[in-house]
Amino acid sequence: MSGYIEAVRELACELLDLMAEGLWVPDRSVFSRLIRDNDSDSIIRLNHYPPMPILCKDKDSSSPCNHNRVGFGEHSDPQILTILRSNDVGGLQISLNDGAWVPVTPDPSAFCVNVGDLLQAMTNGRFVSVRHKALTNSYKSRMSMAYFAAPPLNARIAVPPEMVTPIKPALYRPFSWAEFKKAAFALRLGDSRLGLFRMEEYEQVA
């Protein structure tokens, strides 16, 4: 497990370095060094969604009853980046801009990468945290393993100055991961957290 955590952390850092490079940020490690820090608050979580059979109400129906129940409700990940791997059982769905839910085809040989709320703030909205949920299967168990890449609790989360211009001002005020994490746990799972840290909200309070 320790070896796996180290490997996916390096994968997350490599992806973040490429993102910074693609955004023309001179310091390509501006995002990844938050995860490499010895005090990083990153965690790994193993999920098991057992099969949840649902009895058909219409016993005369000729079609099989294969409904799905929500195993983990709609939300976005509060951290920087999530590296997810699962078995060959589907269940993960992501929400598009129009509100439609799209299933993600399971592939045990591939990783699914979710942008988190912190990365959305640090890239000034260039990368957007994805809302997603997990459904159970009526007949098969779904297993997943998620690495949540997070900074130290006292880390300052802010957009790099190179990405702020008069045409594209900062969307979010600077904040610490501890501050954001406290706000996230005070809200319901599906509530939006980043809205509390938008610059216009900060200016109204100030």
Side-chain angles (χ1 to χ4, degrees):
M1 183 59 72
S2 296
Y4 180 83
I5 292 172
E6 182 177 348
V8 290
R9 181 177 63 241
E10 288 304 311
L11 173 60
C13 290
E14 183 176 349
L15 291 172
L16 290 170
D17 288 346
L18 290 172
M19 289 178 177
E21 185 177 326
L23 293 170
W24 297 94
V25 178
D27 181 6
R28 69 191 307 266
S29 66
V30 64
F31 306 135
S32 64
R33 65 166 169 260
L34 295 171
I35 301 172
R36 295 185 190 277
D37 193 294
N38 290 332
D39 294 325
S40 165
D41 194 40
S42 301
I43 60 171
I44 192 164
R45 187 174 69 207
L46 279 68
N47 303 306
H48 173 228
Y49 303 94
M52 298 287 288
I54 300 177
L55 298 177
C56 291
K57 293 182 179 180
D58 185 3
K59 296 182 179 180
D60 297 328
S61 175
S62 59
S63 61
C65 186
N66 188 23
H67 303 293
N68 292 323
R69 292 180 179 176
V70 175
F72 205 93
E74 173 186 350
H75 66 287
S76 62
D77 295 333
Q79 294 88 356
I80 298 175
L81 207 66
T82 303
I83 307 294
L84 178 73
R85 195 167 188 178
S86 65
N87 61 357
D88 60 351
V89 177
L92 178 64
Q93 294 190 353
I94 61 172
S95 177
L96 303 181
N97 292 334
D98 60 3
W101 286 96
V102 178
V104 177
T105 303
D107 184 351
S109 65
F111 290 102
C112 180
V113 181
N114 289 340
V115 170
D117 293 338
L118 294 190
L119 188 58
Q120 178 172 330
M122 291 190 295
T123 61
N124 215 27
R126 291 289 297 276
F127 287 96
V128 179
S129 59
V130 61
R131 298 189 68 79
H132 54 284
K133 62 183 178 181
L135 303 181
T136 62
N137 186 281
S138 298
Y139 304 109
K140 297 180 180 179
S141 290
R142 179 173 182 268
M143 301 285 294
S144 68
M145 188 158 44
Y147 174 76
F148 300 95
L153 288 172
N154 63 352
R156 184 177 184 270
I157 305 302
V159 60
E162 298 87 359
M163 296 187 63
V164 178
T165 67
I167 300 176
K168 185 67 173 178
L171 298 177
Y172 307 97
R173 67 171 177 84
F175 55 87
S176 70
W177 167 230
E179 183 182 3
F180 190 83
K181 191 176 182 180
K182 181 179 179 180
F185 281 108
L187 299 174
R188 293 178 300 178
L189 179 65
D191 288 343
S192 174
R193 316 170 189 100
L194 276 175
L196 299 175
F197 298 86
R198 289 192 70 90
M199 190 61 78
E200 55 263 32
E201 295 290 335
Y202 174 68
E203 290 172 348
Q204 288 177 8
V205 174

